[in-house]
Amino acid sequence: QPGIITVQLQKGSTAALVAAANAVSLTPGTLTLAIDPLRSELVVHLIRPDDPAVGAVTTLHDLAAAALPMAAPPEEVANGTHR
């Protein structure tokens, strides 16, 4: 049964969230529907919600967060106060 899940990730840069979202969308049977940088969440559609690949999303985000340092907190980017 296809389903939609919300994946809570650790706080990190917006770039790390986008990298994780892109990696999810490149994974067969998955598609990122939404990114919430303020909550560090991804909304993901899965053809098989019980797929063990779901756990890889947090690993992908952690790797991206380590590779892409935070230039500005997501709150500043979202409210336009980033300089």
Side-chain angles (χ1 to χ4, degrees), residues 9-27:
L9 302 169
Q10 293 181 4
K11 290 283 185 186
S13 69
T14 303
L17 274 174
V18 171
N22 285 337
V24 166
S25 292
L26 290 171
T27 303

Side-chain angles (χ1 to χ4, degrees), residues 56-78:
V57 174
T58 55
T59 302
L60 291 169
H61 176 263
D62 292 345
L63 291 170
L68 301 166
M70 187 179 299
E75 298 82 20
E76 290 182 13
V77 174

Side-chain angles (χ1 to χ4, degrees), residues 15-43:
L17 274 174
V18 171
N22 285 337
V24 166
S25 292
L26 290 171
T27 303
T30 63
L31 179 66
T32 300
L33 300 175
I35 302 170
D36 185 341
L38 296 178
R39 293 180 169 182
S40 291
E41 290 180 345
L42 298 179
V43 178

